[in-house]
Amino acid sequence: MLPYRLIEQRLQPAVLAVLPDADPATLQVRPCADLRFGDYQTAALMGLAKARKMNPRALAEQVLAKLDMADLCGRVEIAGAGFLNFRLLPATLTSALESAVRGEHMFFSRAAQPRSIVIDFSSPNVAKPMHIGHIRSTILGDCLARLFRLLGHRVVTDNHLGDWGTQFGMLLLGWKRDLDRATLDRDPIAEMERLYKKVSAECKETSATLEDARQELVKLQAGDAENLRLWREMIALSQHQFDTIYGRLGVTFDFTLGESFYNPRLKAVVAALVARGLARESEGAIVVFFDDLPALKEHPALVQKSDGAANYATTDLATLAHRLETWHPAEVIYVTDGRQQLHFQQIFAAFRNWQLAIGNWQAPIKLAHVWFGSILGEDGKPFKTRSGETVKLAGLLDEAEERALKVVTEKNPNLPESERKEIARVIGLGAVKYADLLPNRQSDYVFSWDKMLALSGNTAPYLQYAYARIRSIFRKSEVRSPKSEVQAVVLVALEEIALAKQLLNFGLVLEAVAEEYRPNYLCNYLYDLAGGFTRFYETCPVLKADEPTRGSRLALCDLTSRVLKQGLEILGIETVEQM
Ligand code: ARG
């Protein structure tokens, strides 16, 4: 077991001996921000004391008297307002590393209680190109899915395609009036986009066009065979484009149940909400009111328009009901941009009230809207092409690979082209993904090719390079896997102790990412780890050291490379052995 888990485990009986009603789940330790004070720290006692109006330091004294850590830690200290600080004994650290060398763990533990988690992400709209705004949802959602799976949870990923809605009225009209078959065959998305833009512009000018488009939509909704056939063709063409991009990004979904999948349920959802008194008629429409929720009191949610049509909210309520029945999740996560915050607050509140009303909320599920900010151009305005259009994902990925190829070629002019191209693919895609995951997701970030492709600084190429550099040590040393050769880890130099301690905290970082849905914590951890490795490698000879130091240091190199690779893999970023 990892040392910080052992500390937590020992903490429990000591705290319970003093406060028998304390919740053991709150007894968590975190790495100390300043290593001079210790390796781990818990703030839990202050919370417990506060809730009981006790003096926190006095509580800490009492707990300390019951605490037996002598075999794990040096003297445990009370600090500040009532923190407990723990310093690992050298033997605790080395034995955790030795068990990692033996392949018993990779510095993280799988969840003690695996949960079923549905992740709704990417979810682009049919007949429109996937643009740069969808990239954040795709990359973030995929990262969360990878992480939760690694931690042992049961993950269901669902791409909630926008394959229904008023845009199809316009598209059908445009398709029937002036489809250009040749362009459609060559570039279906561009042609559908052209048709949509043309009709939608016309609709703003002439009400007759608007009415014609509406009629097409009504026919589609009524199940008109011709319109259904064309609609299916539009979906198939779009799906093909999406799949190409997902393939390049290495992103997969367990399900792609588009919005249209829920059409047969929408009437029943509205009826159920009305029957329970949760929704009522207002000016011909049907609306859910949140009289009991101050934050939403002024924001009722429309679930049926006055023309009888359901909308985005109705679909999301039906979707949630379906997910609950089908996968029994403990948690449902939605990854979209920040502009949908109100929508999800409404959905979560309406769904909760609905389930409470039908007595279906015994085990409340956690509903999380993981939202993110916008991608800006270097001028600080929303990122656009030179001609002012939204940036399309496919072109963006091409450009990333082309630019990375230049960097790779400069560094390795002698590698064969096919190898350079493969490295450039890994670096280019990695750079784009990392640039997206590194900022706090709720802030906007400026898209900069030069920054994201730089080989120094907090970038994917820097981390990929750090990984490849460690692998090259093994090519030189002819040591394959330290696993079979290293008997003992010996930590002497300050830099190697520091690196070992960083490795140890990998799992705590993963847990923090999962808790708050913030991959930036992992990015920063990997960047710090690469820095810690550099300091170690600059001060501690590895290949020239004598045994057992040599083997021990090689093991540290190996473990660092494995954590880097695993960490990048969670971010959806590949590595290469040579760069
Ligand atoms: N298609 C929507 C969009 O592009 C995102 C859907 C998000 N998922 C959901 N269940 N509402 O904005």
Side-chain angles (χ1 to χ4, degrees), residues 120 123-125 134 160 162 259 312 316 334 336 340 343-344:
D120 173 322
S123 310
N125 300 316
H134 288 116
H160 192 70
E259 293 180 18
Y312 190 47
D316 257 326
Y334 298 83
T336 82
Q340 299 198 30
H343 168 74
F344 284 107

Side-chain angles (χ1 to χ4, degrees), residues 120-126 131 134 137 158-163 259 312 315-316 319-320 323 333-337 339-340 343-344 347 369:
D120 173 322
F121 70 101
S122 194
S123 310
N125 300 316
V126 164
H131 59 74
H134 288 116
S137 174
D158 186 7
N159 191 357
H160 192 70
L161 276 194
D163 63 356
E259 293 180 18
Y312 190 47
T315 309
D316 257 326
T319 306
L320 204 34
R323 289 175 177 163
I333 299 171
Y334 298 83
V335 189
T336 82
D337 72 47
R339 286 170 303 184
Q340 299 198 30
H343 168 74
F344 284 107
I347 295 301
H369 182 210

